[in-house]
Amino acid sequence: MSAQKPTVGWIGLGAMGQGMAQVSHPIRPASRMSNIQSLLSQGFKVKAYDVYKPSLEAAVKVGAEPCATPAEAGNVGILGLMVVNALQVEDALFGSGQVAAGMSPPAIERCSYTQFCPRMR
């Protein structure tokens, strides 16, 4: 009997996030199997959120479950968070996004952002 695989959440499917998810971005199409498709083929459930609806729709096209809020996408065992800067990370996790409130240990969160923010040193 195999253990149930954790659900993977993906928040941020913009310039960096779409590349990491390897989804076909509305502006820059991907040419290979997406990481979302790869996760799905291995039995993982994938939830996704992005503020830009065409980016979210691209993830849904390859099989991700769309989420209406960051908190919904963040209620998972493994979370990838790819946003513009550390202030957005803080807001998504602990501010208006309320992601951290919905995560249960032993959740894993991988965070990346494109711009340095001195406040998060």
Side-chain angles (χ1 to χ4, degrees):
M1 177 154 75
S2 63
Q4 183 174 347
K5 296 189 178 192
T7 299
V8 176
W10 212 280
I11 299 174
L13 295 161
M16 186 168 62
Q18 68 86 21
M20 295 172 84
Q22 291 177 358
V23 295
S24 199
H25 189 272
I27 298 170
R28 295 175 303 281
S31 60
R32 57 185 188 255
M33 180 182 196
S34 76
N35 284 333
I36 290 175
Q37 288 171 316
S38 179
L39 288 165
L40 292 167
S41 73
Q42 295 174 56
F44 289 90
K45 179 180 175 182
V46 180
K47 297 165 76 173
Y49 173 81
D50 195 89
V51 296
Y52 184 59
K53 297 307 173 205
S55 293
L56 179 58
E57 290 165 2
V60 171
K61 277 185 183 178
V62 297
E65 175 187 322
C67 295
T69 66
E72 183 183 349
N75 188 10
V76 294
I78 301 171
L79 174 65
L81 179 63
M82 285 68 60
V83 293
V84 173
N85 58 39
L87 293 175
Q88 284 188 351
V89 170
E90 184 177 358
D91 186 54
L93 292 175
F94 308 109
S96 65
Q98 293 295 303
V99 171
M103 296 182 83
S104 301
I108 299 169
E109 189 270 332
R110 165 65 167 99
C111 167
S112 297
Y113 52 91
T114 55
Q115 297 176 3
F116 175 72
C117 178
R119 182 173 172 194
M120 299 299 280
R121 285 185 184 178

